[in-house]
Amino acid sequence: MPPDRAPYDVVVVGLGLAGLMAGLGATSGGARTLLVGKGHGTLRFRSGTIDVLGYWNDRSLGSPAEGLPAVAAERPNHPYALAGEDLGSGLEAIRTTAGAAGLDLDGSLEANRMVATAAGTMRPTCLAPPTMRADWDGAHVLVVGLAGYRDFQADLVASVLPAAGAKLGLEVEARAATVDLPSLHRHHLSGLELARLFDQSAFRRELLAALRGTLGDATVVALPAVVGLEHAPEAADDLARQLGVPVAELPTLPPSVPGLRLELAITAALRRAGARLQVGTFVRAIPQGGRIGWVEIQSPGHPLRVPVGRMVLASGGLASGGLEVRLDGTLRETVAELPVWLPESAQGALVGRSFLESSGHPVSLAGVQVDGAMRPLGREGSPLYENLFAAGGLLAGADRAVEKSADGICCATGWRAAQEAVA
Amino acid sequence: MSEPILFNVDEVALSADRCIKCNVCNTVCPVLPVTDLFPGPKYCGPQAQRFRSGHPVETWVDYCSGCGACSRACPSGVRVAELNARARARMFEQRGIPLKNRLLSRSETLGRMGSKAAPLANFGLNFGPGRVVVERILGVPREAPLPSFSQGSFRRRFRRIPQPERPSLRVGYFCGCTTNYYEPRVGEAAVRVLTRAGIGVELPEQHCCGLPFISNGDFKGARKLAEANLKALLPVIRSGKRVVATSTSCSLTLKHEYREVLGLYGPEWEELAAGVYDAFELLRELAWQGELELDATLTQRVLYHGPCQLRSHGFGFPAADLLGTLGGIELAESGVECCGSAGTYGFKGDKREIAFRVGQPLAARAKEHRAEVVACDSETCRWHIQQLTGLPARHPIELLDDAWSQAERTGD
């Protein structure tokens, strides 16, 4: 028997960016909110930038705003076609939330900016921390590697960066220096340990001393994106001031320090707003009449039944477990057993021939179809449950990896779903 | 014809293959940031798992505290902590279990002996030279917090607590060794709270849950206790009663460790797991159904720490949910995964320093909140927290009992 007193107004399933955005929207609307999910979301391994729309129809976009009308016109079930209007408010919400934790996110829908990666390549993004902004054109970059840290090879970055810049019409010169410091002599060195070291001024002094002779004519010092976790802005400012040149952070392999900074900023804001966050369990949504009656949190032994006022489903796509491919090649949605839409192109073959197919895989477009109020649709095209809203990677119609649109979709649809859920 | 291969698949062992190397586990591990002796859950869990078949296991697996933060954080469902617990047991199988682990496991035997001669035993444990002996034999550093034996077990005291005349519900209380031998006051508070909520409480036959054996690598000993508990508790559950516990580590062992760590799978074990509840989980359920009004006041600044084992139950923080509704309370949550103690981990020699460092954020949080008391559902955590913070650490059910007793006295 389900409980009959709803302890929460809104239950959000999923702890990735879309779920957290929905949580921010719900709590700012005054709702008592529970966020629950199986594990932490992808922020901890994405790069900490907010990608909105980098490419459309194989064309690189100068700004997301420039491409949005085409998306809406050409792909009616694309999340931007449905919730594009909320993109501005969603981005503003994340910017304000990050800002309250001292983390700025620069940029606007009017321009994409190029961020350099740990492979030495450049890719477009919309919002990024100030440390990922650099004046690449005409720059003399000193790429600094840290001995023992395998996830950032300064030589590789310095050898690829000039060509990557040239492709975009940027003139970039780069050279590499890898510094070996006593503090780096650890058994295990990941980005996280480095970030905790960068938080300490003693380590920064050690690094500065080692860099002093190598700076030369450098106009930018590029480092892996591990410059501080809890005191990141302070660490980056301190380094830049002491070096006398700007510091650029290059996102590298997981764990993602900039992503973690952003997640911690959002979850802290959610807790301040009174939301309850619960990490660790699978969840099932149980229908009751034309609505979701309660969620069953799959705690060991017996499920915990939490009655649902309104529910936001933000459990992610295939990579996050929100969608699953069955052995027979059909897809299922794992929390509420919603119908999954598959593009015609995927009917015969879900995926292309190679893993990193530049044109994307047909299955990437698969997902849950929603109406303009983010309500999941049944096979006949009408909303299935009056109190269920979906957001984020779960939604059909976007090839996020090819479009570079994953974060923007989470912001727009998470925000929109929350507005509908508290309406 | 061959058997279908998907039959009898060990979900826990298989889960290692789901690791996508996203490193989320490493971002939550409380041990990794404070010591180089532990390489973190990703290496120690799914990565090392591939090399374990038939080979000796690395000794650093013993530095995993078993707090389970990694398993909870994993978006792909890898049972990292469970893999580590099994690997630790195999390591001890290969190398032999150290005497200190053998002794520390036996909380029931120690408790039974200690509480029979409580004044003498307590004198021995509080007295400098006594602690040197304990340090030598048990490997428990002399500054580690040890509980005092209680004079007379909880089982004896239980009979004196009046039961409701017409209970709305009957439960069997699993008190655990700590409540029985060291802290009967927690059990007394629990029974008072439950009976006041209209619940009839029985104290069925029971044994140590076996968790100390599991964390000290003695699976054989743990399985014996598991079998004994199954035999004692299934009849309670089959008579329609829930088994209710106040120690969230004992209840997690009954619900989860028996199956996923000891590998005791089967319908009876599932029945046991399904029938075990945390006391606050039950009370919260009643509150959600409108069958329980707390209606009491507790004017205290409380820091609530949901211990790591409670977090693995996946039912949120029922104690904090209920305490938060008390009038006058200034309640804050610790927001940290683990206090460092993680069962007997923080009591063992070189791990004490690690446990202390892991606990620093919790101590800072208590200070920041200007807490007068720390509430925590797990016993070893409370003892550790008391040392970390210098504050009294109490079971949340004791706080609820205080609030209700006060309400009764003032006739509210």
Side-chain angles (χ1 to χ4, degrees):
Chain A
M1 192 185 70
D4 44 19
R5 265 195 196 179
Y8 302 103
D9 303 312
V10 176
V11 175
V12 178
V13 176
L15 299 169
L17 183 55
L20 299 178
M21 290 304 299
L24 285 177
T27 50
S28 70
R32 295 168 304 157
T33 307
L34 169 72
L35 295 101
V36 56
K38 175 69 200 94
H40 290 285
T42 52
L43 273 176
R44 289 180 189 227
F45 49 98
R46 290 179 59 79
S47 62
T49 60
I50 302 295
D51 301 350
V52 174
L53 193 63
Y55 300 92
W56 187 252
N57 286 340
D58 290 332
R59 205 164 60 83
S60 164
L61 299 172
S63 80
E66 172 195 331
L68 288 170
V71 175
E74 294 165 29
R75 189 104 48 80
N77 73 341
H78 193 288
Y80 286 151
L82 300 162
E85 283 170 21
D86 290 75
L87 193 48
S89 334
L91 294 185
E92 205 39 52
I94 194 168
R95 200 206 294 267
T96 313
T97 308
L103 302 172
D104 292 332
L105 284 171
D106 293 346
S108 80
L109 283 174
E110 304 309 318
N112 272 324
R113 61 180 55 232
M114 287 292 162
V115 293
T117 74
T121 55
M122 294 225 172
R123 66 170 185 85
T125 189
C126 180
L127 305 186
T131 48
M132 289 185 199
R133 169 189 56 200
D135 231 337
W136 296 114
D137 203 18
H140 291 221
V141 185
L142 174 66
V143 186
V144 177
L146 302 159
Y149 180 45
R150 290 164 298 177
D151 296 345
F152 185 83
Q153 298 300 326
D155 291 325
L156 170 74
V157 176
S159 66
V160 177
L161 200 55
K167 257 202 224 165
L168 300 164
L170 308 169
E171 208 174 298
V172 186
E173 277 180 30
R175 66 194 161 84
T178 295
V179 295
D180 191 359
L181 309 170
S183 299
L184 299 174
H185 297 176
R186 307 266 302 258
H187 289 310
H188 315 283
L189 207 56
S190 80
L192 210 55
E193 279 88 54
L194 284 170
R196 291 185 179 116
L197 283 173
F198 270 100
D199 273 340
Q200 304 165 17
S201 60
F203 174 77
R204 298 197 296 268
R205 276 198 298 276
E206 200 182 332
L207 176 66
L208 286 163
L211 284 179
R212 209 136 274 155
T214 59
L215 208 52
D217 64 347
T219 58
V220 174
V221 168
L223 282 160
V226 298
V227 184
L229 182 58
E230 279 176 49
H231 309 288
E234 182 193 323
D237 284 352
D238 179 43
L239 273 184
R241 202 174 48 242
Q242 307 271 357
L243 285 166
V245 293
V247 167
E249 281 192 300
L250 274 48
T252 172
L253 293 177
S256 163
V257 173
L260 190 56
R261 288 173 199 151
L262 195 54
E263 187 186 315
L264 296 177
I266 302 174
T267 51
L270 285 168
R271 288 199 176 92
R272 280 199 303 276
R276 170 78 75 211
L277 280 91
Q278 197 177 313
V279 187
T281 34
F282 290 103
V283 178
R284 288 179 55 217
I286 310 294
Q288 197 180 29
R291 56 200 311 282
I292 298 297
W294 67 95
V295 291
E296 278 192 357
I297 296 176
Q298 305 294 305
S299 61
H302 50 260
L304 171 71
R305 297 195 172 117
V306 181
V308 162
R310 308 279 177 90
M311 172 171 170
V312 177
L313 183 62
S315 45
L318 274 171
S320 304
L323 300 176
E324 212 173 68
V325 183
R326 295 194 190 94
L327 286 175
D328 65 0
T330 58
L331 272 80
R332 75 177 268 266
E333 185 282 311
T334 55
V335 176
E337 299 291 347
L338 300 170
V340 179
W341 177 86
L342 203 60
E344 256 167 50
S345 59
Q347 303 295 343
L350 289 174
V351 292
R353 294 178 65 87
S354 71
F355 176 58
L356 296 170
E357 196 90 58
S358 62
S359 58
H361 298 281
V363 75
S364 307
L365 294 170
V368 168
Q369 299 251 54
V370 291
D371 66 4
M374 300 289 109
R375 286 175 302 184
L377 301 175
R379 303 245 175 248
E380 321 72 39
S382 50
L384 280 171
Y385 305 107
E386 61 187 51
N387 62 343
L388 178 66
F389 309 89
L394 179 71
L395 301 181
D399 190 334
R400 294 152 177 86
V402 169
E403 298 160 11
K404 296 260 174 284
S405 60
D407 311 293
I409 290 174
C410 289
C411 290
T413 60
W415 192 256
R416 176 61 156 267
Q419 303 313 310
E420 299 290 342
V422 295
Chain B
M1 229 181 81
S2 59
E3 290 287 304
I5 34 173
L6 286 175
F7 238 67
N8 278 332
V9 168
D10 183 346
E11 258 298 306
V12 173
L14 202 66
S15 76
D17 288 346
R18 290 205 213 117
C19 176
I20 59 163
K21 317 287 176 235
C22 73
N23 276 274
V24 164
C25 54
N26 280 352
T27 67
V28 297
C29 175
V31 176
L32 183 59
V34 305
T35 177
D36 253 11
L37 295 169
F38 185 60
K42 186 180 73 143
Y43 293 110
C44 189
Q47 252 158 252
Q49 183 69 13
R50 299 179 187 168
F51 302 101
R52 280 178 183 144
S53 150
H55 294 279
V57 174
E58 322 69 28
T59 49
W60 35 247
V61 71
D62 198 33
Y63 284 94
C64 163
S65 75
C67 74
C70 44
S71 294
R72 297 190 292 276
C74 178
S76 304
V78 181
R79 321 277 227 279
V80 191
E82 291 81 354
L83 290 170
N84 288 350
R86 290 177 174 193
R88 186 194 340 256
R90 280 205 43 204
M91 181 187 81
F92 285 133
E93 229 169 72
Q94 288 160 349
R95 292 164 186 263
I97 300 175
L99 178 67
K100 61 177 182 188
N101 285 45
R102 286 189 186 280
L103 291 171
L104 263 184
S105 309
R106 283 159 171 75
S107 56
E108 200 173 10
T109 316
L110 286 176
R112 202 179 301 130
M113 285 166 19
S115 62
K116 282 215 172 103
L120 188 66
N122 288 335
F123 175 74
L125 290 180
N126 291 321
F127 166 68
R131 287 304 299 264
V132 175
V133 175
V134 168
E135 184 174 88
R136 288 269 166 79
I137 301 178
L138 290 179
V140 174
R142 60 196 82 164
E143 31 338 298
L146 280 188
S148 304
F149 292 108
S150 146
Q151 205 163 1
S153 64
F154 166 70
R155 189 166 278 279
R156 285 195 186 176
R157 299 184 184 198
F158 169 75
R159 296 183 206 118
R160 292 183 227 140
I161 307 170
Q163 293 287 323
E165 276 172 31
R166 253 174 293 158
S168 56
L169 190 74
R170 284 179 197 278
V171 301
Y173 179 38
F174 189 91
C175 64
C177 306
T178 305
T179 294
N180 202 23
Y181 299 116
Y182 305 100
E183 299 180 343
R185 60 167 200 280
V186 172
E188 289 170 296
V191 178
R192 277 196 297 269
V193 164
L194 290 169
T195 50
R196 225 175 263 133
I199 301 168
V201 184
E202 295 167 15
L203 193 62
E205 183 202 326
Q206 54 193 274
H207 307 272
C208 168
C209 66
L211 179 60
F213 286 77
I214 294 173
S215 24
N216 288 296
D218 183 356
F219 279 17
K220 220 173 122 192
R223 287 199 184 98
K224 256 190 224 162
L225 289 166
E227 295 283 354
N229 276 321
L230 184 77
K231 210 174 137 208
L233 298 175
L234 260 195
V236 180
I237 292 165
R238 286 183 177 162
S239 70
K241 290 174 224 130
R242 302 193 208 187
V243 170
V244 166
T246 39
S247 167
T248 44
S249 47
C250 300
S251 49
L252 188 71
T253 306
L254 300 172
K255 282 164 66 176
H256 178 75
E257 260 78 353
Y258 284 0
R259 295 183 294 164
E260 300 237 319
V261 178
L262 297 179
L264 298 170
Y265 295 110
E268 290 188 322
W269 298 102
E270 271 163 42
E271 216 182 325
L272 174 66
V276 175
Y277 282 73
D278 172 65
F280 272 105
E281 182 190 9
L282 173 62
L283 292 169
R284 185 181 62 181
E285 188 184 308
L286 296 177
W288 282 355
Q289 283 168 353
E291 287 161 25
L292 178 71
E293 295 290 342
L294 290 195
D295 206 17
T297 302
L298 188 77
T299 37
Q300 256 181 331
R301 300 189 65 85
V302 180
L303 182 79
Y304 174 74
H305 172 62
C308 50
Q309 291 104 347
L310 170 129
R311 289 163 186 256
S312 294
H313 279 274
F315 53 43
F317 301 113
D321 287 346
L322 289 193
L323 288 183
T325 65
L326 293 173
I329 195 167
E330 293 286 336
L331 183 72
E333 283 170 37
S334 73
V336 304
E337 289 282 349
C338 179
C339 70
S341 176
T344 54
Y345 180 86
F347 290 77
K348 281 177 279 187
D350 54 342
K351 308 209 180 64
R352 179 161 165 69
E353 173 64 24
I354 295 173
F356 196 75
R357 277 191 246 157
V358 170
Q360 289 314 304
L362 174 69
R365 187 83 185 88
K367 211 168 188 178
E368 181 191 281
H369 183 56
R370 290 180 287 119
E372 298 165 89
V373 58
V374 180
C376 177
D377 315 62
S378 165
E379 45 273 58
T380 50
C381 304
R382 288 196 294 273
W383 305 334
H384 182 59
I385 290 169
Q386 231 156 270
Q387 272 209 336
L388 272 177
T389 61
L391 295 169
R394 304 181 68 200
H395 194 290
I397 212 143
E398 293 181 87
L399 298 184
L400 183 53
D401 181 46
D402 280 0
W404 265 353
S405 304
Q406 202 182 345
E408 262 174 25
R409 275 200 301 278
T410 54
D412 283 348

